[in-house]
Amino acid sequence: MRCETTAANLTPIDVEAVAAGVACPVAMATTLMWQAAGATCGREVYCREGTRQVATILTDITVGKGSSADLALVDELCGLMADLVPCAMAGLAARSVLDSLRDHAEEWDRHVRRSRCTSLTCAMSFTVHVDPTTCTGCEECRPVCPVDAIAGGPDLVHVVDNDVCTRCGACLSVCPVSAIAKAGPIKPKVPDEPIPVGSFAAAPVPAGGGMRRRRPRPS
Amino acid sequence: MSDMEADVIIIGGGASGITAAVAAAEKGASVIVLEKGSTTGGAANMGMGFFAVESKQQKAQMVDLTQEAAFKFLMEYTHWSVDARLVRKYIAQSADTITWLEKMGVEFLGAYKYFETSKQTWHVVKTAGSDKPAERAASNLYKALTEQAEDLGVQILYRTKATKIVMDDGAVSAVELVGEDGVAKTAECNAVIVATGGFGNSPQMIHDYLGFEWGKDLHSFRIPGVDGDGLSMLWEAGGGHTKATMELTYTTPGVTDVYKTISETMRQPNLMVNLDGKRFIDEEIMNNTVYTGNSIARQRERVAFTIVTDSIIDDYRAKGLDYVTFHHNIKTVEKWDKEVEAYVSGAGVEASGLSDLHNDEQKHTKNFWVCESLKEVAEVTGIDYESLVATVEEYNQLCATTDDQFFKPYKYLRPVTGTTYYVARHFPAGYGSLGGVAVNDEMNVLDEAGLPIEGLYASGTDACGIFGDSYCFYLPGNTMGFAINSGRMAGYNANAYIESF
Amino acid sequence: MVRIEVDGVAVEALPGQDLLAACLAAGIYVPHLCSHPDLPAEGGCRMCTVEVDGHDRPVQACEVTVADGMVVRTKTERVEHIRNVALELMLAPHPKDCTSCRAYLNCELQALMQYTGVAHSRLREIEKETARIGASNSIISKEMFRCIQCTRCIRACGDLRGVSILEIRHRDGEAYVGTVDDLPHDQTDCRFCSACVEVCPTGTLMDPPGLFREDVPRAQALVPCRNGCPAHTDIPLYLQLAGEGRYAESVSVFREKLTFPLSLGYVCSHNCESECKRGTMDAPISIRAVKRFAVENDAEQTWRERTWVAEPTGKRVAVVGGGPAGLTAAYYLTRKGHEVTVLERRSRPGGMMTWGIPRYRLPQEVIDSEIATLQEIAPFTIETNVRVTDLAPLREQFDAVLVATGAQAGKRPPGYDPALSNVVDGVDACRRWNDGERPRLGATIAVLGGGNVAFDCARSAKRFGATDVHVLCLEPFDKMLADPEEVREALAEGITVHASVTLTPTVADQRVTGLDVTDVRSFAFTADGLQLDLVEGTTRELVADTVIVATGQQSDLTPEFGVELGRNNLVVTGADARTSVEGVFAAGDSVTGTSTVINAIALARAAASSLDRYLGGDGDIEDTYYERPEHDPAIGTIPNFSQLTRTDCRTAEAVATETSRCLHCELRPDLSTVKYWTDAVYQSGAQQGVRA
């Protein structure tokens, strides 16, 4: 079988952005593989089902449902696809994933084993918090939340319920004072409930300026 | 004048300490870990997995052990002489700890038994690229915990030795330490968690607290660094004493872990006698190494002997061994002749792997012999000859009928007949000490009066008093299981203590 | 011959043959899924991956043409890996409900799982949004969620049939097999030939349950009209020829099986139409009307040129009864060289065609002309007004006898004494009326029975002036035995039909003075007789001037006739139409009870063949009046195919339209059957090969 489908509409993995730590190779590979699955002519099994299978596995990895066995599986499937698919399109997608698996091995491993994503792109790797010292209580963020995960009110510091939050990121871009940010493993201290703006007691600056500090003990 | 500070300082980065660090940091505490060695995981790096009940692995494997059954089992086993509240919390948290670790990237092969009649509670860690249990597999677990701790901002100071817990007005206020640079420093803190792993490497403390003379009547593991310094600091800071024990097992020095086929074959359920030439055990329980260790420890000179013959070896050649432990992975006797020849010729003695801690005499003491007669057996071992002959005669009769002495099942009754006798000498051994300092069910250290000391916590082996006088081998994975779970509890509780300010 | 080596075995292949076909032909199984012997290669499933020396990558055997000296390996680790992963990938979106799939154990995918040992646990299960697009219809059962996208159906529809309504479609980023624009089949150019169903390797495209009979061989059942015709007339072919205006050739085709085609064109019970698959869509092809039009428009009668009569054998045969069965047997026996005398009890031959079926349905001239045609070709003697009551003399005079006396006697339910003056048997009435009697029946007529005879009587009575005609029967309306057309026309003529009723006659003065009619909910024949579940309170009285009983007929033979009789005095026959008496055969209604003309013809043909063998002949009465060309699998498209309605077939154009409605079921058995790895050919094949 010969197939003339070209890779023109695929978004390649931006290795420079990955190297700069601002893009996630797993997320980009996932996007790429879904593009390939959507562009398949559908006649050849590795192109049709292989792209979809790999894209499904990659999606699982980006939401924290991957396992270390998945990397070997993706490697095996993409290896076969790179060899067998009859078009340039799926071939490029498979080879891009293979290259990334090799070049960004550590980042892939962090994703599957520890649900970590260096650039905090993948949903399983971060939580979303409103900085209680910056938030002005303007309420711009609340209506854009699709799942109503932000509590707050006029002149109250807003609080994100991360059990509800889907990590869509919509609120981050609308905050006029950039008070909303993603957090990796280390979570900032924020109030559990909305409190009046300005009432949050900022943590004392630790001795020596490092982050390990002892909280003052009442005398 | 403090050189550094943190909410919580953890002394010891082994299984319990590193887990405590992750737990405390996860809740928002700033944490420093003081570790004498160059890496984390401590003695637990030699393990393979740990205890849990009602885990998702057990559910998937249709294991029907419930929390209730495990709790009752352990409390019956210890005659309710241990802290029921702590046991209950430990068992309740155990399954969640598995899931908690999986989120950090730890993978488990599943739940295993340690021996035929044990419960299936041992969650063996998966190693990269393998789907089979592997010795030392748990080191993967400590890598994951260490990475997690680092991600959470925990500062781990390696090659750093704590020397003193500083108290201020009845509460913990700092730790004195000697850093990697050899300079003494003070680190201020609000809470200390001591998790130093007991005193398995201290012959003196073994002698003082357990009553064995190491290298003579006890050949336990001596993991470097497990020197009892944590317990000493705890006691010095006011921690109360409790009776320490050891997780006993038994060993054939110079053979076990070196000549694996000889060792495993001589640990099969065949005739075992003491120096008096008498049976003292239903050899079927030899797969429960704690019971066997206990039993040997109460014999004269704390030694015992197993005797097999060429006809028994032939039977094993045909059928394979009775007891197979997957961590040693010796299922057949195909290497028997080769190992026996190597041992007897003395070719292997220098490379026997015996600890440097054994003295020269101990290193050259033979503990396995090949004899042509019972007479020769008695001569080389010191077993009473006439009694031995009578015992063998009686045992062979039991083999033809039934063991109405100790009720060993018929399938393990192989008569001691043939032309060659193989004899191994066994001594008590052990994995290290258990317990020594009093804690409550929040891992908070208690003083001699039984009252909690503010900010002072202990976890893992230093605080492990939940097994009574003997380690409970029927619930395998318990030493590491308690280390990890008590560390997790200590981390959470230390943080909660600080949050209460 | 091309010589290649496959797994160390020397194999001879045909020049130009693909490697897969060459291996399979040599008995070497190579797994394959998208390949089908009748379809162009697709190369999309990777199952037939093999390694060929000189190629750095594995190739698909279906895509490679054999070449002399080619060295092929079909079982290397590498090809098995490629195959197995391909199968895993196909299984990932495939449902795991095999046990609720009708293709279970007849599924190529399932067999490939067996062969390869592949399951699908290590891959993600894939759910596709598009998997449920595509509705079933009465001809094609579609469970598209089972589709593995092998594209066999697409190639069968396009490359093979030239219809091309199936394609790979794309929606929501998914590729799936569907119809053009996802339309229901009846809004596409689909010809409902079911080639897609035949080639589907899974349970995705299936025949709906019950579409085909399962009690006959599959190839036979797949062409329901031909299978449904008692004489197995080659219906699809004569329809096609008639549609093309080739009436002589069309007639030639059914003349091979039928002796009274024009009569059948009027009155055939047309079981073929009941079985016709198009009937499940809208209405069956009007097969009977096409046949009649073809006969009526066959000016050349070319079939006569190809018929034959054998040399005389000197054997004499008596045929008792000159109905369709007797005359058919006489015709074939005469052509086989025997001297045949038909002994007919009445004044004219034709049996129930002449004496039972009313003239408005079947004109006498049609019957007479068809009998004349038979006698022209095969000059047998018909002696009329000869009633045979004892076989013994005939057995003296003739070498063999065929009994075809029909079912002449009316069968009355209890309560209708023969002496009642205003009660007549339907069969007798029809006979007398066809003989010219013009009865005085009165204004109100009750006809008992739900079969064709009952309706013949009712419609005749109407024609004789009765104003108020009622047909009453026990069966529910949709279960009446009469031809639906008869019922429809009767209703159109103003006849009242009472279905699901039971009757109790009131008798006075040797007359039935009234009938109590009661509705019946259900009925059953049990060991205790007829059991009725009556609807209480529905009894009403029908007062009729004449009651015609048309509740069935039986043979009027008596034991004195000389052959063993069974239930309803029917002749007992064994294999080959033999009766209990040596040299005596039987056929038609006297064997089966009241049946149809076409059945009588079919039985008579079989009896004639058997009798001929008895007389020393070869029994071969088959004719070939039309040489079959090879089927053209490419049927192409016809505008508005699904919307073409059944025509009256009164004009050539109408016949052309009507025959174009045909689904061409006859093409389906032409498709090859795919052999599984378990097939004996492959199990023994490797040993048969020559070791290289």
Side-chain angles (χ1 to χ4, degrees):
Chain A
M1 176 185 284
R2 289 283 170 274
C3 178
E4 303 305 322
T5 310
T6 70
N9 294 320
L10 299 188
T11 313
I13 295 174
D14 183 344
V15 290
E16 283 170 17
V18 171
V22 297
C24 170
V26 181
M28 296 187 89
T30 308
T31 304
L32 175 65
M33 202 47 88
W34 277 118
Q35 286 173 344
T40 179
C41 74
R43 294 189 304 151
E44 199 276 338
V45 60
Y46 276 95
C47 180
R48 181 185 66 246
E49 305 298 345
T51 52
R52 183 160 297 269
Q53 178 69 223
V54 171
T56 304
I57 297 169
L58 296 187
T59 299
D60 279 356
I61 292 173
T62 63
V63 298
K65 288 195 279 182
S67 76
S68 59
D70 287 339
L71 296 189
L73 190 55
V74 169
D75 188 64
E76 178 186 347
L77 292 172
C78 288
L80 285 165
M81 285 161 64
D83 253 8
L84 297 172
V85 289
C87 65
M89 190 279 297
L92 176 85
R95 281 190 300 277
S96 299
V97 174
L98 287 174
D99 288 348
S100 181
L101 279 172
R102 184 194 61 218
D103 297 342
H104 312 122
E106 206 167 313
E107 185 66 10
W108 283 86
D109 183 68
R110 283 162 59 76
H111 275 72
V112 294
R113 285 201 310 111
R114 305 179 49 221
S115 296
R116 292 273 190 269
C117 172
T118 301
S119 61
L120 298 188
T121 305
C122 295
M124 82 299 186
S125 70
F126 64 89
T127 47
V128 176
H129 304 274
V130 181
D131 179 354
T133 60
T134 312
C135 176
T136 62
C138 73
E139 294 206 279
E140 292 284 312
C141 56
R142 294 186 64 207
V144 305
C145 178
V147 291
D148 215 8
I150 307 175
D155 302 320
L156 292 177
V157 167
H158 293 3
V159 178
V160 177
D161 182 346
N162 276 290
D163 292 337
V164 177
C165 172
T166 61
R167 320 290 192 257
C168 72
C171 55
L172 275 79
S173 52
V174 300
C175 179
V177 293
S178 300
I180 311 180
K182 296 175 179 178
I186 300 174
K187 311 299 180 193
K189 281 280 172 197
V190 295
D192 296 333
E193 300 286 333
I195 54 171
V197 168
S199 68
F200 187 76
V205 179
M211 70 152 296
R212 268 161 297 279
R213 81 283 177 210
R214 171 191 179 196
R215 273 168 271 180
R217 190 159 170 269
S219 46
Chain B
M1 177 63 206
S2 83
D3 299 288
M4 56 187 99
E5 65 173 87
D7 287 333
V8 182
I9 291 179
I10 295 167
I11 302 176
S16 199
I18 193 69
T19 309
V22 169
E26 182 182 275
K27 296 293 182 190
S30 59
V31 180
I32 293 173
V33 176
L34 308 176
E35 168 55 45
K36 289 195 291 187
S38 297
T39 187
T40 54
N45 281 308
M46 71 176 169
M48 295 170 69
F50 61 92
F51 168 92
V53 186
E54 294 185 21
S55 71
K56 69 179 185 195
Q57 286 82 1
Q58 286 164 317
K59 285 173 190 167
Q61 291 171 255
M62 317 269 171
V63 175
D64 62 359
L65 182 70
T66 60
Q67 289 191 32
E68 179 183 349
F71 172 78
K72 287 181 172 168
F73 185 88
L74 187 59
M75 295 314 292
E76 282 293 321
Y77 185 86
T78 59
H79 319 118
W80 286 79
S81 64
V82 301
D83 184 348
R85 294 181 61 84
L86 177 56
V87 169
R88 184 69 193 95
K89 283 183 178 177
Y90 162 42
I91 288 173
Q93 186 189 261
S94 62
D96 182 68
T97 296
I98 298 281
T99 312
W100 185 66
L101 289 166
E102 281 178 330
K103 285 183 188 153
M104 298 176 206
V106 180
E107 295 174 282
F108 293 90
L109 286 175
Y112 288 78
K113 292 182 171 190
Y114 196 82
F115 60 96
E116 209 174 63
T117 53
S118 84
K119 309 291 185 195
Q120 201 167 336
T121 55
W122 195 25
H123 291 67
V124 173
V125 175
K126 184 181 186 307
T127 52
S130 169
D131 58 357
K132 292 202 166 55
E135 288 182 272
R136 297 174 289 278
S139 54
N140 277 22
L141 166 60
Y142 300 108
K143 179 185 184 220
L145 278 162
T146 304
E147 286 173 333
Q148 184 75 5
E150 283 166 352
D151 279 355
L152 290 169
V154 172
Q155 187 174 23
I156 306 174
L157 303 178
Y158 295 100
R159 296 170 289 277
T160 299
K161 181 175 164 54
T163 53
K164 183 180 166 67
I165 299 162
V166 182
M167 304 296 291
D168 176 18
D169 193 19
V172 166
S173 67
V175 174
E176 289 177 5
L177 57 97
V178 178
E180 187 175 5
D181 52 8
V183 178
K185 291 172 189 150
T186 302
E188 289 193 346
C189 61
N190 292 324
V192 165
I193 301 171
V194 176
T196 59
F199 54 84
N201 192 35
S202 169
Q204 188 61 49
M205 288 174 83
I206 287 172
H207 177 269
D208 293 351
Y209 296 105
L210 302 176
F212 286 97
E213 192 173 336
W214 196 90
K216 184 162 178 272
D217 58 7
L218 180 74
H219 297 262
S220 57
F221 290 137
R222 283 180 55 180
I223 311 295
V226 189
D227 302 326
D229 43 350
L231 280 170
S232 300
M233 282 185 274
L234 284 165
W235 291 327
E236 189 192 341
H241 286 74
T242 60
K243 182 172 166 37
T245 60
M246 179 168 273
E247 179 186 339
L248 276 194
T249 171
Y250 69 104
T251 188
T252 311
V255 177
T256 303
D257 291 332
V258 185
Y259 298 95
K260 284 191 172 187
T261 299
I262 297 177
S263 172
E264 290 296 304
T265 306
M266 298 313 290
R267 292 163 81 98
Q268 300 297 313
N270 292 301
L271 178 64
M272 182 180 265
V273 297
N274 58 19
L275 278 173
D276 301 326
K278 291 190 168 147
R279 276 181 92 202
F280 58 90
I281 192 170
D282 165 11
E283 296 89 346
E284 188 194 8
I285 65 140
M286 283 172 67
N287 54 10
N288 186 330
T289 54
V290 171
Y291 284 12
T292 309
N294 280 346
S295 201
I296 292 171
R298 68 175 310 288
Q299 303 309 309
R300 184 158 64 85
E301 294 184 27
R302 290 177 167 156
V303 291
F305 305 87
T306 46
I307 303 170
V308 301
T309 63
D310 47 355
S311 72
I312 292 173
I313 298 297
D314 285 345
D315 200 37
Y316 284 142
R317 284 188 220 275
K319 298 172 189 162
L321 295 171
D322 293 320
Y323 289 163
V324 172
T325 51
F326 60 74
H327 52 294
H328 289 136
N329 201 28
I330 302 292
K331 302 184 178 84
T332 66
V333 291
E334 58 189 15
K335 292 183 182 159
W336 173 261
D337 293 333
K338 200 175 149 209
E339 285 193 11
V340 169
E341 194 196 328
Y343 186 88
V344 171
S345 71
V349 172
E350 285 307 318
S352 67
L354 271 178
S355 167
D356 283 345
L357 301 167
H358 284 88
N359 62 33
D360 220 40
E361 185 197 339
Q362 288 161 347
K363 279 183 198 170
H364 288 93
T365 300
K366 279 196 180 266
N367 286 307
F368 174 76
W369 300 270
V370 182
C371 304
E372 290 182 355
S373 65
L374 285 177
K375 185 83 188 161
E376 191 184 347
V377 171
E379 281 168 14
V380 297
T381 59
I383 301 170
D384 182 282
Y385 172 63
E386 283 176 19
S387 176
L388 178 63
V389 170
T391 295
V392 168
E393 198 173 310
E394 182 188 27
Y395 182 77
N396 287 348
Q397 274 180 8
L398 299 182
C399 291
T401 55
T402 179
D403 179 9
D404 58 6
Q405 184 177 24
F406 291 130
F407 312 105
K408 182 162 71 170
Y410 182 75
K411 63 180 172 179
Y412 301 135
L413 289 170
R414 288 186 178 78
V416 181
T417 54
T419 55
T420 309
Y421 297 84
Y422 303 98
V423 190
R425 179 161 57 194
H426 306 289
F427 293 87
Y431 291 90
S433 68
L434 291 169
V437 70
V439 292
N440 65 12
D441 60 327
E442 296 188 330
M443 307 318 294
N444 201 176
V445 175
L446 306 176
D447 62 18
E448 294 289 4
L451 295 171
I453 299 173
E454 267 192 72
L456 187 57
Y457 295 83
S459 68
T461 303
D462 288 332
C464 184
I466 64 161
F467 302 134
D469 59 24
S470 295
Y471 176 71
C472 182
F473 231 145
Y474 288 106
L475 297 170
N478 241 318
T479 313
M480 196 192 294
F482 184 77
I484 288 173
N485 280 287
S486 65
R488 192 176 172 205
M489 286 187 247
Y492 289 157
N493 292 332
N495 182 71
Y497 162 70
I498 295 163
E499 294 273 349
S500 72
F501 289 174
Chain C
M1 275 296 170
V2 178
R3 286 179 174 75
I4 62 173
E5 184 190 313
V6 181
D7 297 335
V9 177
V11 168
E12 291 195 334
L14 302 170
Q17 197 171 25
D18 70 71
L19 181 54
L20 177 61
C23 291
L24 298 177
I28 296 170
Y29 180 72
V30 175
H32 51 283
L33 190 54
C34 68
S35 294
H36 187 282
D38 303 331
L39 303 175
E42 172 77 350
C45 75
R46 302 279 166 194
M47 297 310 295
C48 70
T49 297
V50 296
E51 289 198 82
V52 175
D53 281 9
H55 291 247
D56 55 348
R57 285 184 187 177
V59 298
Q60 303 202 66
C62 67
E63 294 186 308
V64 174
T65 305
V66 292
D68 237 342
M70 193 177 252
V71 176
V72 183
R73 272 174 278 275
T74 73
K75 294 182 174 67
T76 67
E77 201 176 321
R78 194 169 175 200
V79 302
E80 285 181 355
H81 184 218
I82 291 170
R83 277 179 202 157
N84 292 0
V85 173
L87 192 55
E88 286 180 288
L89 286 170
M90 281 186 271
L91 288 166
H94 190 76
K96 278 76 188 166
D97 66 339
C98 293
T99 49
S100 60
C101 174
R102 285 193 290 125
Y104 194 89
L105 287 188
N106 288 299
C107 170
E108 292 180 44
L109 190 65
Q110 185 181 34
L112 280 170
M113 286 177 70
Q114 273 186 330
Y115 179 79
T116 58
V118 161
H120 38 64
S121 57
R122 69 185 190 132
L123 297 188
R124 299 293 196 278
E125 283 190 22
I126 300 292
E127 283 186 25
K128 294 188 185 174
E129 297 293 320
T130 50
R132 298 202 178 254
I133 297 174
S136 296
N137 52 64
S138 66
I139 305 285
I140 303 168
S141 164
K142 299 176 77 170
E143 297 191 346
M144 297 312 294
F145 57 94
R146 303 190 188 283
C147 178
I148 52 164
Q149 289 166 263
C150 69
T151 72
R152 275 193 195 171
C153 56
I154 296 174
R155 286 171 283 151
C157 188
D159 296 310
L160 192 67
R161 290 284 184 257
V163 176
S164 302
I165 65 139
L166 298 175
E167 61 187 16
I168 291 189
R169 301 183 53 73
H170 296 85
R171 184 196 283 190
D172 303 331
E174 296 176 1
Y176 63 101
V177 173
T179 56
V180 173
D181 295 334
D182 290 328
L183 290 169
H185 281 242
D186 60 3
Q187 291 174 35
T188 68
D189 283 333
C190 179
R191 299 284 306 272
F192 295 92
C193 69
S194 295
C196 53
V197 173
E198 185 65 28
V199 299
C200 179
T202 67
T204 308
L205 302 177
M206 299 273 286
D207 297 310
L211 186 65
F212 296 112
R213 287 177 57 166
E214 286 174 5
D215 55 350
V216 295
R218 185 164 183 274
Q220 202 175 313
L222 286 176
V223 191
C225 56
R226 188 166 63 200
N227 180 60
C229 174
H232 299 312
T233 319
D234 193 351
I235 294 167
L237 180 59
Y238 81 67
L239 287 181
Q240 187 185 336
L241 292 167
E244 292 167 5
R246 295 158 70 186
Y247 306 118
E249 284 144 308
S250 180
V251 169
S252 295
V253 170
F254 52 73
R255 263 288 168 189
E256 291 171 355
K257 303 286 187 187
L258 304 179
T259 44
F260 293 93
L262 187 54
S263 300
L264 289 168
Y266 280 85
V267 299
C268 186
S269 57
H270 57 58
N271 196 36
C272 51
E273 293 185 28
S274 314
E275 300 280 326
C276 174
K277 262 167 70 180
R278 177 112 197 188
T280 68
M281 288 171 60
D282 49 1
I285 310 298
S286 193
I287 300 169
R288 183 172 76 184
V290 171
K291 178 162 50 210
R292 178 170 159 185
F293 188 90
V295 179
E296 289 173 348
N297 291 277
D298 173 15
E300 302 118 282
Q301 300 199 14
T302 50
W303 66 275
R304 285 176 181 255
E305 296 155 17
R306 303 196 62 164
T307 195
W308 46 267
V309 177
E311 290 298 310
T313 59
K315 298 284 168 62
R316 301 184 67 232
V317 180
V319 174
V320 185
L327 295 171
T328 298
Y331 169 73
Y332 285 109
L333 288 167
T334 306
R335 288 180 55 202
K336 290 301 280 183
H338 311 303
E339 185 187 334
V340 181
T341 304
V342 176
L343 303 169
E344 167 56 46
R345 74 169 93 174
R346 306 201 195 286
S347 58
R348 312 176 76 154
M352 283 297 177
M353 294 194 297
T354 299
W355 299 103
I357 299 170
R359 289 286 74 82
Y360 65 86
R361 284 180 60 203
L362 176 58
Q364 185 64 43
E365 312 84 74
V366 170
I367 307 164
D368 291 345
S369 78
E370 293 209 285
I371 295 172
T373 299
L374 297 182
Q375 282 185 296
E376 275 170 44
I377 289 162
F380 53 85
T381 309
I382 303 176
E383 294 180 14
T384 54
N385 295 316
V386 180
R387 174 111 197 221
V388 178
T389 53
D390 183 0
L391 278 177
L394 293 181
R395 291 184 59 215
E396 297 287 314
Q397 297 159 33
F398 294 90
D399 296 300
V401 179
L402 181 93
V403 178
T405 50
Q408 306 281 340
K411 202 168 64 176
R412 293 190 180 189
Y416 299 89
D417 192 279
L420 293 170
S421 62
N422 66 336
V423 177
V424 294
D425 287 306
V427 63
D428 294 335
C430 288
R431 186 178 66 245
R432 290 205 304 275
W433 301 341
N434 273 8
D435 204 19
E437 180 184 311
R438 290 296 167 264
R440 280 196 298 279
L441 300 168
T444 305
I445 311 296
V447 184
L448 278 51
N452 277 337
V453 177
F455 280 88
D456 284 346
C457 292
R459 296 180 65 195
S460 295
K462 195 84 183 175
R463 283 164 176 72
F464 292 140
T467 51
D468 194 11
V469 181
H470 299 263
V471 174
L472 305 106
C473 68
L474 192 53
E475 297 83 9
F477 192 85
D478 58 351
K479 294 276 163 57
M480 289 193 302
L481 295 173
D483 188 335
E485 272 178 329
E486 287 291 300
V487 178
R488 216 163 33 240
E489 285 174 24
L491 291 170
E493 288 163 9
I495 290 164
T496 311
V497 177
H498 307 257
S500 293
V501 295
T502 185
L503 308 172
T504 312
T506 311
V507 176
D509 301 332
Q510 294 294 300
R511 283 175 58 84
V512 171
T513 56
L515 293 164
D516 284 342
V517 183
T518 307
D519 290 344
V520 171
R521 207 172 278 114
S522 65
F523 68 94
F525 291 99
T526 69
D528 300 327
L530 177 62
Q531 304 294 313
L532 296 171
D533 180 7
L534 301 176
V535 184
E536 296 299 329
T538 58
T539 307
R540 63 272 185 190
E541 189 178 40
L542 176 66
V543 178
D545 298 309
T546 303
V547 176
I548 302 175
V549 182
T551 52
Q553 290 118 256
Q554 55 192 1
S555 163
D556 61 355
L557 294 177
T558 61
E560 290 71 37
F561 189 70
V563 292
E564 186 189 340
L565 303 178
R567 198 172 58 88
N568 291 336
N569 299 327
L570 297 174
V571 180
V572 175
T573 52
D576 300 343
R578 289 167 188 262
T579 68
S580 60
V581 179
E582 166 81 16
V584 179
F585 295 73
D589 284 0
S590 61
V591 175
T592 58
T594 310
S595 183
T596 61
V597 177
I598 183 67
N599 227 1
I601 292 171
L603 287 169
R605 278 172 51 87
S609 170
S610 174
L611 199 152
D612 178 53
R613 284 195 300 278
Y614 171 74
L615 293 177
D618 59 7
D620 182 5
I621 58 164
E622 293 303 327
D623 294 311
T624 304
Y625 297 149
Y626 177 77
E627 293 295 342
R628 268 62 171 171
E630 271 196 17
H631 286 154
D632 179 2
I635 51 180
T637 59
I638 290 173
N640 302 316
F641 179 76
S642 289
Q643 281 67 47
L644 295 174
T645 51
R646 185 171 155 116
T647 73
D648 59 8
C649 295
R650 297 244 170 94
T651 63
E653 293 73 33
V655 168
T657 303
E658 184 63 26
T659 55
S660 75
R661 296 175 64 236
C662 178
L663 307 185
H664 289 286
C665 303
E666 80 280 6
L667 297 180
R668 185 154 166 200
D670 295 348
L671 292 168
S672 306
T673 304
V674 174
K675 292 190 181 80
Y676 290 16
W677 69 273
T678 46
D679 199 279
V681 168
Y682 303 130
Q683 298 308 308
S684 56
Q687 285 97 51
Q688 286 167 4
V690 184
R691 287 281 155 198

